[in-house]
Amino acid sequence: MNRIHKFAVSSILLATLVGTSGCSGMSTRDKNTAIGAGVGGVAGAVLTGGGTLGTLGGAAIGGVIGNQVGKDKK
């Protein structure tokens, strides 16, 4: 992975961490959605070599998965 790809992955991960830590009013489900989107975006970027479509697709899929985690728990 070259320097630009490492920077992109690091930036996405940092944005996810900062975004979720600054929103104390978020529900657990909202936090899971944001974390899933961040992790999915990083995974998509890594798998596609930093491709925009892969990053966005990974973020979308990760967000959906994060949103559904623990959905039926009461």
Side-chain angles (χ1 to χ4, degrees):
M1 190 182 304
N2 66 27
R3 188 184 308 196
I4 294 172
H5 291 129
K6 286 181 184 179
F7 177 75
V9 170
S10 299
S11 297
I12 293 168
L13 188 56
L14 180 62
T16 301
L17 292 174
V18 170
T20 57
S21 68
C23 299
S24 62
M26 291 175 73
S27 70
T28 301
R29 193 166 183 186
D30 292 340
K31 289 179 185 177
N32 288 344
T33 302
I35 291 169
V39 171
V42 170
V46 169
L47 291 174
T48 62
T52 304
L53 186 60
T55 303
L56 293 175
I61 292 169
V64 170
I65 292 170
N67 183 273
Q68 297 300 309
V69 169
K71 180 180 176 183
D72 293 331
K73 292 183 181 179
K74 293 186 180 186

